[in-house]
Amino acid sequence: MLTKINCNLCGADNYEVLFKTYSGDLSVGADSLEMTDRSINIPVRIVRCRKCGLVYTNPRPPFDCLASDDVTLESGSYLEEERGARFGAKAILKKLKEFKKAQEKLLAIGFGVGFFMDEAKRSGWEVHGVEFSKPVVAFAKERFGLENLIEGPFEHSIFPGNYFDFILLKDIVDHLEDPKKALIEIRRILRPSGVLYLNTPNIDSTISRLLKARWWGIKHAHIFYFTPRTLSKMLDVTGFVHMASRPYARVYSVKYWLEKMEFYNRDLFRVFSFLKRTKIALKTLRVNLWDRIEVFARKSRRLEYLEEMECLNVAVEKKRMKVVVVLPAYNAARTLGRTVADIPKDVVDEIILVDDHSSDDTVLAAHKLGLKVYVHEKNRGYGANQKTCYKKALELGADIAVMVHPDYQYDPRVIPELIEPILKGQADAVFGSRMMKRGALEGGMPIWKHNANILLTALENVALGTYLTEYHSGFRAYSAKYLKSVSFMLDSDGFIFDTEIIVQGLLKNMRIEEVPIRTRYFDEASMIKFWPSVCYGFGILSTLAKHCLHYYGVWRFKQFS
Ligand SMILES: [Zn+2]
């Protein structure tokens, strides 16, 4: 009857017991308190994962025993709470406007979503819904004329990928059999620019700590209990980025609050019980006990969140990885010293410089700094320079190669953050992005270039099916695995190299992550000017076209195989 379950968040089977009910075998020797939900006489034990802190019911009773005591249609209170439900719905829709201007497809999942759907429909959304309760579905269909309302558990409904602009998980995530799986499914059906809303009781709140097992949030129907920390971890591993959260005020009738009071404090209830027979009982009361979490989230830019989740369960490899910094240099004598001085030597094992036949004293300066130097006999271009860099880094046994431009434009002090996802096994390449958080404009990038960059990036994302914010960063870390699985030696000797190596990696299912960086300054002299930029743009377009031909099997390019 009872099923033993592992932690839904981290997979561990290592927990401490928080509360137990009196009844059943589990209560033997229990020093626990009685739980609020006394109607169901099944033993329940609530535990906290020692590894990640997630609180959950373990072992778990069968699902049909977990009837909810949330507001139901049968009890009549569903209708009495209409005003409160509408008030709450309006508040959510209003807040949503801060993140999402367009109102297109919306999916509401949870208990009593009918009122929410009706409010959303009135404000212009195309509403879809999934509702567990059959009578509620029938009622909402009849009363509000809602067509797209499906009865049953959300997990069983099938929606197309990238379909919804907004998904609402109202009072439901704590009831789900497998919240992690459900959130991954939600990520699949949410559009890249979509927004997820969810709310749940906060077991870390003051009132929960005070009332312990008597806190209203503890009930049989809740099989998961989140804290702001475990919820944000859950969103993180399922591929969401948390945008805003706030304590959630609940809106119910005075009658409802009085009934709650009756349970918690009978004496206090007796004083106020006369209100129940007056008109005041039907008035709505907004109460914020600061014990709920409400979160708005969007899809993260990560490409491969699933593998990343698996990595969470694997202990980080203890063996230290060899980090080699490569400096593709061309006339960098003036800035080389400052760049090298800022490289954090405690995380970097070796620094190599490849000189692309500079006309200044770059080679001399590099030797003085004690770097390993490789010299091109003639000027061969930026891509060719990187080829030598990565080839030499691999020969030196690098596990990670970090490219830093020696023109002092990028800040090498960020290297630890840049290589962290690779060290943790969460990514195969990490790019410092100047386009996240407006870093480029603050760094002095001309606006035309900034906008052209955004346009080109959008095109690249569409063509390659990725969410990168920048394809032209000169500050990148590649794992040896990445460099060994792509034929970078076949790439262009010019600037297009940077794009080609990304396309190759994506075709090999490499995981690319970005971290935001700022540039110190934007030196036009060392960067490409307008007309060469235009040629560069066309070069990228042709690379994208080649990618499409290769991807759809029209023409196989050796470079991408
Ligand atoms: Zn855990």
Side-chain angles (χ1 to χ4, degrees), residues 7 9-12 49 51-54:
C7 174
L9 180 53
C10 75
C49 173
K51 213 175 140 201
C52 73
L54 182 70

Side-chain angles (χ1 to χ4, degrees), residues 250-283:
R250 279 172 301 148
V251 188
Y252 285 114
S253 64
V254 171
K255 188 179 157 218
Y256 175 91
W257 291 112
L258 284 170
E259 278 161 7
K260 288 280 151 184
M261 191 197 284
E262 183 178 7
F263 175 74
Y264 283 104
N265 192 326
R266 279 189 172 278
D267 297 324
L268 202 63
F269 171 72
R270 271 185 210 117
V271 177
F272 290 102
S273 61
F274 72 93
L275 286 172
K276 241 185 139 172
R277 293 181 296 274
T278 66
K279 275 190 177 170
I280 297 171
L282 296 173
K283 288 254 183 295

Side-chain angles (χ1 to χ4, degrees), residues 77 140 144 149 170 197 249 265-266 316 381 389 423 537 559:
S77 55
F144 308 124
L149 184 55
K170 195 173 174 299
Y197 167 94
N265 192 326
R266 279 189 172 278
V316 178
C389 284
L423 291 173
Q559 181 187 14

Side-chain angles (χ1 to χ4, degrees), residues 8 76 144 157 219 332 463:
N8 188 251
F144 308 124
S157 2
K219 43 181 150 187

Side-chain angles (χ1 to χ4, degrees), residues 460-512:
E460 283 165 311
N461 279 333
V462 171
L464 304 173
T466 53
Y467 298 116
L468 293 176
T469 57
E470 202 195 344
Y471 286 79
H472 325 289
S473 169
F475 190 32
R476 304 178 173 199
Y478 291 106
S479 68
K481 180 184 152 198
Y482 190 110
L483 294 173
K484 284 174 187 166
S485 35
V486 303
S487 320
F488 64 83
M489 291 306 281
L490 297 177
D491 289 346
S492 148
D493 280 345
F495 281 90
I496 306 299
F497 178 92
D498 274 349
T499 304
E500 288 175 329
I501 195 170
I502 296 176
V503 173
Q504 289 173 322
L506 292 172
L507 287 168
K508 298 280 180 195
N509 294 318
M510 292 291 134
R511 296 163 301 168
I512 303 174

